[in-house]
Amino acid sequence: MRPLDHWTRRCAACGYMAAGLTPGFGRGVDGLAPVQRVNDKATLDEIRRHLGSGGKSLLDVGCGGGGFLERAAVAGFRAEGIEPAPDAERTANGLPIRPEAFPIKPVDGAAYDAITFNHSFEHLPCPAKAAAASSGLLRQGGVVALQLPSSQGTLFKLASFGRRAGLFAAWELLWQKGLPSPHLHYFNPGNLRRLFERTTDLRLISTQRLQAVRIPGLWRRIRCRLSAPSALVAFTMLALAVPLLNRLPPDFILCVFRKPAPPRQPAR
């Protein structure tokens, strides 16, 4: 892999990127909740499209305070979560949250119809082990759904250009450098598919764009890393660009993988 700077590197063949940052647990970027609510609905709708409805079991990895769990329960799933952050709530309106890091070992042969990584997969130290563990926890015919940032996104490309020009603020913000849980990886749909195909029996069945920027919450997202004058400039530019960004290559994507179902027995 070719170094991009003293802490990031890139695979010239597939475009996968990795950061030499210290993995950690904890709160991420402020102001993402309005975006997350919209994207969580899209994720649950896509999972139900492939699994149908009716009490399917769901495990959310890196569930934080349990917002996605609560939305999944409302959508009809039997939901539980995993969250290793020491200050995390252990229940979300009665839904169980296990205080563990992923990968985990099955409990009493537990298997799930759906496993979700909502902006958690890119924070894990070893994505190959996480992918393999997901397959082991999943029932046949089940799905793994990943919300994650894309290295092919418009804002990521602009930040990359800025880094080459000696402007590092946007680049460090997108990697969440200096925050308790930085991004350790950046994927695109192609190299993410190759990772799962190389390490699991899961196969990519859908990819779709998610929203990365909405006006509500945007100021808090920018202000957490920039001074007030710089944040005001960035906020104004992004707010004006939101309609265009929704048409350009997305910075947040949803990728869904399915575990093959057993072949049907011929009728006798």
Side-chain angles (χ1 to χ4, degrees):
M1 293 181 66
R2 181 175 63 86
L4 297 175
D5 50 39
H6 68 281
W7 57 277
T8 56
R9 60 195 190 279
R10 179 181 184 274
C11 175
C14 71
Y16 161 72
M17 297 185 188
L21 300 173
T22 302
F25 310 120
R27 185 173 55 85
V29 176
D30 291 334
L32 272 174
V35 169
Q36 200 60 52
R37 283 192 292 269
V38 173
N39 291 342
D40 286 353
K41 182 181 184 303
T43 298
L44 290 167
D45 287 346
E46 185 68 7
I47 292 173
R48 287 193 298 183
R49 187 171 75 86
H50 294 291
L51 292 184
S53 56
K56 303 293 185 182
S57 59
L58 181 148
L59 176 69
D60 186 33
V61 178
C63 64
F68 181 84
L69 291 181
E70 295 177 11
R71 287 184 273 274
V74 170
F77 290 92
R78 292 183 287 109
E80 62 181 274
I82 297 173
E83 177 50 59
D87 59 346
E89 295 289 338
R90 296 306 167 207
T91 61
N93 284 343
L95 302 170
I97 299 177
R98 296 165 59 176
E100 299 180 48
F102 197 80
I104 61 170
K105 293 181 179 180
V107 177
D108 298 328
Y112 300 92
D113 297 300
I115 299 174
T116 55
F117 294 85
N118 296 313
H119 292 278
S120 58
F121 193 77
E122 65 272 21
H123 297 268
L124 299 175
C126 186
K129 288 184 179 180
S134 298
S135 179
L137 290 167
L138 203 63
R139 292 193 177 100
Q140 291 180 313
V143 298
V144 174
L146 302 99
Q147 293 184 37
L148 73 172
S150 171
S151 62
Q152 295 177 339
T154 301
L155 294 177
F156 190 86
K157 295 292 187 183
L158 290 173
S160 299
F161 178 81
R163 176 190 57 80
R164 293 192 294 271
L167 304 172
F168 299 103
W171 180 251
E172 293 180 357
L173 178 61
L174 290 182
W175 283 93
Q176 297 187 11
K177 185 182 180 185
L179 294 179
S181 182
H183 290 173
L184 304 180
H185 319 276
Y186 254 92
F187 295 95
N188 61 50
N191 54 39
L192 186 67
R193 175 180 58 80
R194 284 189 285 273
L195 170 69
F196 271 80
E197 289 183 352
R198 188 177 71 247
T199 58
T200 75
D201 57 350
L202 306 177
R203 294 298 177 262
L204 183 66
I205 56 173
S206 72
T207 301
Q208 69 182 68
R209 69 183 300 133
L210 296 174
Q211 290 193 20
V213 180
R214 289 173 62 87
I215 301 300
L218 181 58
W219 174 255
R220 291 179 61 197
R221 289 175 65 182
I222 295 172
R223 185 67 179 91
C224 72
R225 287 299 302 272
L226 299 179
S227 65
S230 297
L232 181 59
V233 173
F235 174 84
T236 302
M237 294 176 63
L238 282 173
L240 293 173
V242 165
L244 181 60
L245 290 173
N246 288 334
R247 297 178 177 271
L248 293 173
D251 280 272
F252 287 178
I253 56 174
L254 171 66
C255 294
V256 180
F257 295 82
R258 185 194 290 276
K259 187 167 186 173
R264 292 184 177 181
Q265 297 296 324
R268 296 182 178 181

